[in-house]
Amino acid sequence: MLYHLKCFLLFARSEKLVDIILRIIMRVMWFAGGFHWMTVKGRRALPTEAPILTLAPHSSYFDAIPVTMTMSSIVMKAESKDIPLWGTLIKYIRPVFVSRSDQDSRKKTVEEIKRRARSGGEWPQIMIFPEGTCTNRSCLITFKPGAFIPAVPVQPVVIRYPNKLVSKLAKSCFFFPPLAFLSLGDRLEIGFLPIYTPSEEEKKNPALFAINVRRIMAKALGVPITDYSFEDCQLAMAEGQLRLPVDTCLLEFAKLVRRLGLKPQNSEKVLQEYGNRARKLEGQKLGLEGFAHFLDVPVSDMLRDMFGLFDEHEDNRMDIREYVIALSVVCRPAKTLETMKLAFKMFEAEEDGAITESELAVILKTALGVSHISVSHLFTAIDVDNTGKITFDKFRNFVEHHQDFADDYLYTENTDLHSAPYNDHQTQPSLSTLKVKGAAATSKTANGICPEFSDHDGTIDGLKKHN
């Protein structure tokens, strides 16, 4: 049957007929998955009115339903077209294929989106998930600029799962059809919002365009927005051996790194260079001017904010080695040992290549983005000879035999890493002021990506709410 369907689609001459057949196939598939009722609100714009549809929030595989209902083009991996049957079906919505093996793929993708969006309706609308990753729908994270670079009118599209059971299942990216039959009510609600036409300023500034569209979509959904981005999600969910606490200030640090343009393209080379330069300073503290000179950037308000994250004693001085460690975590979140190796290189003594317990504490508190941490249990377990010092080789050998060393030795000794978020009155986390009261990234929290939102004080658990 599948073979005959594939042959029919290949040789069908009528695009309209193929479109109808595909819609029927997809609707039957979603019905079998439990989505019996789907509500559509608002009017979908014509391709000539809004060439691009921006869909949010993105939380589940089921967010593909609007794509199959509208038969809009999407951006997808080039490898997908080689999947049997599915590859043939997907070609009929004329997606924009992205090749991971092509270094210029991102640039080519943006150019293709611009070409189609400015074709005057000759191409199908392109549906884009501007968040760039899955969240839990408790807020809207920073939109990526790809959908807004063409500077054409867009139509925001919001998606809801009104049924509580379906909503919970969709959040977990898991769905069990028999449970869907037992739950009554709408499974999915799709809302087409009014077309948003960018101003001249927004056409020149895609980031501003994205911010304003996100604000409208958040208002329609009744959820807050947050400065967390796709990169922050990668950092928070990285599968390294050191898992970040929810209230780590490294997310704030990562945001400042992006805004200041300090994230290097060749991170390995730059980090090694920074490490060598920091080692030569031998722990000498730098002021704001020295920090700016080290990074070769001018002094600015944002640089002051970053400097404040490392001004531990609030004496207008910082240890540049801590900046290098934090940057390594942001650039290589899953490479814990590489970060530790770099840190040991900066802190180790010339005579024996070893570090002390207090130096290990500095390294680990910086790598986790917290104000303080006790490492006595861990250090004693590594320093079996009771020398008062450990080398990177000893640390690496220990980690190889204790893959869960953070859970077994750090979180057990620092139980406050698993408690509630930090105080409500704190609006900006920092290494000098942050109270370590967050849960580990993998533990259960009220909201996984976005902290619990409380409207009474206009903040999102200490992070400023932007409306």
Side-chain angles (χ1 to χ4, degrees):
M1 178 180 177
L2 294 177
Y3 172 78
H4 289 92
L5 174 62
K6 180 177 179 180
C7 291
F8 176 78
L9 291 173
L10 284 171
F11 293 104
R13 297 296 182 184
S14 172
E15 288 189 8
K16 186 175 181 180
L17 178 60
V18 172
D19 185 78
I20 293 173
I21 292 173
L22 288 178
R23 286 174 186 266
I24 293 173
I25 292 173
M26 295 300 179
R27 187 63 189 94
V28 170
M29 181 181 71
W30 295 124
F31 185 89
F35 286 90
H36 311 146
W37 297 280
M38 290 185 281
T39 302
V40 178
K41 296 183 177 181
R43 181 187 72 88
R44 177 188 173 189
L46 298 173
T48 52
E49 297 174 317
I52 295 176
L53 305 175
T54 57
L55 181 66
H58 185 23
S59 63
S60 167
Y61 296 118
F62 304 114
D63 294 340
I65 293 176
V67 178
T68 60
M69 289 178 65
T70 61
M71 299 305 291
S72 301
S73 296
I74 56 174
V75 179
M76 64 185 304
K77 297 182 297 183
E79 296 85 352
S80 301
K81 62 185 177 182
D82 298 323
I83 300 175
L85 184 60
W86 173 253
T88 301
L89 293 173
I90 206 68
K91 288 177 184 177
Y92 281 92
I93 64 172
R94 294 187 278 185
V96 178
F97 288 115
V98 181
S99 175
R100 292 182 176 180
S101 59
D102 187 349
Q103 295 182 347
D104 298 324
S105 179
R106 180 176 297 182
K107 182 179 179 181
K108 291 178 181 177
T109 299
V110 172
E111 290 302 318
E112 179 63 15
I113 292 174
K114 288 168 62 176
R115 185 179 73 84
R116 293 191 185 191
R118 297 172 179 174
S119 67
E122 293 182 5
W123 287 86
Q125 287 168 307
I126 302 174
M127 182 171 280
I128 296 176
F129 296 90
E131 290 177 293
T133 188
C134 283
T135 69
N136 64 8
R137 299 197 303 274
S138 61
C139 61
L140 292 185
I141 66 173
T142 301
F143 282 5
K144 298 178 78 66
F148 309 96
I149 291 176
V152 298
V154 303
Q155 183 173 31
V157 183
V158 296
I159 184 169
R160 299 183 181 89
Y161 295 87
N163 186 282
K164 291 184 178 180
L165 174 59
V166 175
S167 179
K168 289 180 180 180
L169 293 172
K171 275 186 181 182
S172 64
C173 291
F174 171 78
F175 201 71
F176 188 56
L179 290 178
F181 280 95
L182 295 175
S183 62
L184 301 177
D186 288 343
R187 311 291 194 262
L188 180 69
E189 182 180 294
I190 302 169
F192 290 94
L193 304 184
I195 298 170
Y196 189 96
T197 302
S199 64
E200 290 301 318
E201 183 181 3
E202 290 170 326
K203 289 180 180 179
K204 298 176 183 177
N205 188 347
L208 177 62
F209 188 4
I211 289 171
N212 291 334
V213 171
R214 182 176 65 148
R215 184 178 292 115
I216 290 173
M217 298 180 73
K219 184 177 180 180
L221 289 162
V223 300
I225 60 177
T226 174
D227 284 339
Y228 288 144
S229 68
F230 170 67
E231 288 78 11
D232 294 328
C233 294
Q234 287 184 313
L235 176 61
M237 296 184 292
E239 296 181 355
Q241 288 157 312
L242 285 177
R243 295 187 295 275
L244 300 182
V246 165
D247 55 359
T248 175
C249 73
L250 287 184
L251 294 178
E252 179 72 13
F253 173 75
K255 181 177 68 175
L256 291 171
V257 167
R258 290 194 301 273
R259 290 183 174 180
L260 287 165
L262 295 176
K263 190 171 184 178
Q265 291 189 356
N266 188 346
S267 58
E268 299 292 337
K269 180 180 178 181
V270 172
L271 287 170
Q272 291 303 320
E273 178 187 337
Y274 280 173
N276 291 333
R277 290 171 58 194
R279 177 181 172 83
K280 291 178 181 179
L281 291 174
E282 298 180 344
Q284 177 185 343
K285 298 293 183 72
L286 299 180
L288 180 60
E289 293 288 345
F291 182 46
H293 182 265
F294 184 92
L295 299 178
D296 193 23
V297 297
V299 174
S300 64
D301 289 340
M302 278 192 289
L303 190 68
R304 286 190 180 91
D305 290 340
M306 179 178 285
F307 181 84
L309 294 176
F310 301 97
D311 184 8
E312 184 176 2
H313 300 293
E314 299 184 3
D315 57 357
N316 296 318
R317 297 191 306 159
M318 65 165 290
D319 188 337
I320 195 64
R321 295 175 296 185
E322 295 182 25
Y323 168 81
V324 178
I325 293 170
L327 185 64
S328 178
V329 174
V330 168
C331 293
R332 309 178 294 186
K335 296 183 178 181
T336 300
L337 279 179
E338 292 299 318
T339 294
M340 295 301 296
K341 182 178 181 180
L342 177 63
F344 268 79
K345 180 180 178 181
M346 293 187 291
F347 279 85
E348 66 188 13
E350 287 282 357
E351 61 273 13
D352 54 11
I355 66 171
T356 63
E357 180 180 331
S358 61
E359 290 171 331
L360 179 64
V362 171
I363 292 171
L364 289 177
K365 78 176 180 65
T366 306
L368 289 170
V370 297
S371 61
H372 76 280
I373 191 170
S374 176
V375 299
S376 298
H377 190 193
L378 175 63
F379 191 88
T380 301
I382 300 174
D383 184 23
V384 291
D385 297 326
N386 198 27
T387 62
K389 289 187 174 184
I390 61 172
T391 63
F392 175 72
D393 288 337
K394 283 187 176 181
F395 177 84
R396 180 176 56 192
N397 291 335
F398 181 83
V399 170
E400 287 176 353
H401 292 88
H402 301 82
Q403 293 293 320
D404 297 324
F405 77 92
D407 289 332
D408 297 338
Y409 293 91
L410 288 180
Y411 294 126
T412 55
E413 187 174 1
N414 300 272
T415 55
D416 50 354
L417 286 175
H418 294 279
S419 62
Y422 50 88
N423 296 336
D424 290 337
H425 68 272
Q426 289 179 263
T427 57
Q428 181 175 331
S430 69
L431 282 173
S432 60
T433 62
L434 185 63
K435 303 301 180 184
V436 188
K437 297 182 180 179
T442 54
S443 65
K444 293 182 180 179
T445 56
N447 292 306
I449 298 297
C450 304
E452 187 68 67
F453 172 66
S454 176
D455 195 52
H456 71 276
D457 60 359
T459 63
I460 303 178
D461 259 8
L463 294 178
K464 292 181 180 178
K465 176 188 174 188
H466 303 276
N467 287 322

